[in-house]
Amino acid sequence: MQNMKRILTYMMAILLGHAGSMAQEKGNRNLKVILKAEYEAVETLTGKDGNSKENSSKWILQMAPGKSYYYNPQTYFVDSLDNDPNGKSILMAAWADALAEFRNTGADAMKLLQEKGLTRESQYKCLKDFAEDKMTVWDTNFGDHFRYPVPMGDLVWEICDTTKNIMGYECQMAESDYHGRRWIGWFSPEIPMQDGPWQLFGLPGLIMEAYSKDGAFRFLIKGLQQCEETFKDPFERESIFITKRKSYLKQKDYTRRNRSAQLKAMTGGAVNVNADYTGNDDFLETDYHE
């Protein structure tokens, strides 16, 4: 542990020494990642009957001088296959096998693909650019791809005196109202990176844990390693809608609550099912209702 902490201190010196020159670099593929964190994201969903269940997923935060990139590794794996001719052949063959199994036995084709690790999870991705003071988010809605900017000035923390230990690191608590939810964050000054999961950042140390005060969302660090790799490619589609954050969230909420009508329209009335979302759960950001 002490060796890791010394490495992190040395890496911070590298960051401070090169941040100026790196800020001038165009593009992100040549940026060298020096630290990588793995997080578990947990969302608590409450059904109409009042019972709740948890959905968890893995996420990676790549940290480089002046920038960081947050993505879902399972989705990245499928995207990388889909953007390579040989990988695309593997995906198409797997889909053909799954559909054949469905026709022959009635097996769940999607479940078969999930068991092989060949389905995407969340397609949310976030690039933080500290020199430009902005974040870029990629996401999808009903098959369409979107990109929108998020200003970094919206997040202001109040640092508290409370401390606890996470993964052997002394962490301090902070609170913030951010885009509709009250957030509790735990950061470690021993890891001198002002970054964290999702769109959270700006504390004097890496955010090791964060959760919304209502208990709906939680991020917890699961691993931390020094590395030498380049930023993962977001695989931006040629056909992409450039939008604004609140506009995207409003559209996404409308879509999930009106899926039935959209499916019916897309299929000329061939598909007529009740697929509308009727729950009370909301997105990570809720201020789009304002």
Side-chain angles (χ1 to χ4, degrees):
M1 180 64 70
Q2 290 301 320
N3 286 338
M4 182 62 171
K5 291 176 182 177
R6 282 197 294 270
I7 289 170
L8 290 170
T9 301
Y10 172 70
M11 288 163 60
M12 186 58 180
I14 294 175
L15 280 174
L16 292 173
H18 291 281
S21 61
M22 294 302 294
Q24 302 300 320
E25 183 174 347
K26 304 295 184 182
N28 304 308
R29 294 187 189 181
N30 294 326
L31 280 175
K32 296 299 181 182
V33 176
I34 59 174
L35 190 65
K36 182 165 65 174
E38 178 184 325
Y39 290 91
E40 179 185 32
V42 179
E43 178 182 6
T44 301
L45 303 173
T46 304
K48 288 183 178 180
D49 56 3
N51 294 325
S52 61
K53 66 174 184 177
E54 291 187 346
N55 287 340
S56 65
S57 55
K58 292 182 180 179
W59 293 81
I60 299 295
L61 176 66
Q62 294 181 306
M63 289 167 273
K67 294 185 180 182
S68 68
Y69 183 56
Y70 182 75
Y71 66 96
N72 181 287
Q74 175 64 30
T75 297
Y76 173 78
F77 173 68
V78 178
D79 282 346
S80 63
L81 289 176
D82 201 22
N83 283 270
D84 176 80
N86 293 329
K88 201 174 191 71
S89 297
I90 294 172
L91 280 179
M92 292 177 66
W95 271 96
D97 291 344
L99 291 173
E101 189 71 17
F102 166 72
R103 288 192 296 268
N104 294 332
T105 68
D108 187 329
M110 289 301 298
K111 186 176 181 181
L112 292 173
L113 290 167
Q114 287 172 355
E115 291 172 351
K116 295 179 180 179
L118 295 176
T119 56
R120 292 177 175 88
E121 294 182 350
S122 172
Q123 297 194 57
Y124 172 94
K125 307 156 192 168
C126 178
L127 174 70
K128 299 186 184 90
D129 188 329
F130 295 96
E132 296 293 330
D133 197 31
K134 72 173 183 178
M135 291 180 274
T136 300
V137 169
W138 292 265
D139 213 335
T140 60
N141 180 35
F142 212 65
D144 290 326
H145 292 255
F146 296 82
R147 169 163 49 88
Y148 56 88
V150 180
M152 299 182 88
D154 293 349
L155 182 59
V156 179
W157 294 96
E158 304 165 18
I159 297 179
C160 310
D161 294 329
T162 310
T163 61
K164 71 174 180 179
N165 192 283
I166 300 175
M167 269 180 45
Y169 293 93
E170 186 75 8
C171 296
Q172 190 169 349
M173 191 177 85
E175 295 191 44
S176 178
D177 290 313
Y178 183 64
H179 291 178
R181 293 187 188 273
R182 183 71 173 175
W183 285 91
I184 309 296
W186 293 89
F187 68 96
S188 175
E190 297 178 83
I191 306 175
M193 309 291 281
Q194 296 186 25
D195 213 332
W198 183 49
Q199 293 164 202
L200 303 178
F201 70 98
L203 286 166
L206 183 67
I207 298 173
M208 309 287 277
E209 181 182 5
Y211 50 86
S212 59
K213 205 162 187 178
D214 59 9
F217 295 94
R218 179 170 176 257
F219 301 96
L220 179 63
I221 196 165
K222 291 295 185 179
L224 184 66
Q225 68 179 84
Q226 181 188 15
C227 62
E228 292 185 7
E229 60 184 36
T230 56
F231 266 16
K232 299 299 185 186
D233 193 331
F235 296 116
E236 181 173 295
R237 302 293 182 96
E238 290 184 7
S239 176
I240 190 168
F241 294 96
I242 310 302
T243 186
K244 297 180 179 179
R245 181 181 64 86
K246 287 186 179 181
S247 298
Y248 168 77
L249 293 172
K250 286 178 181 178
Q251 182 177 348
K252 189 173 183 178
D253 184 57
Y254 177 83
T255 299
R256 68 173 181 162
R257 297 186 186 280
N258 295 274
R259 288 195 192 106
S260 301
Q262 293 179 66
L263 286 170
K264 188 175 180 179
M266 288 174 61
T267 60
V271 176
N272 189 10
V273 296
N274 184 9
D276 295 345
Y277 177 76
T278 57
N280 295 319
D281 299 299
D282 212 333
F283 306 132
L284 277 158
E285 300 158 288
T286 64
D287 59 338
Y288 66 94
H289 294 293
E290 298 171 358

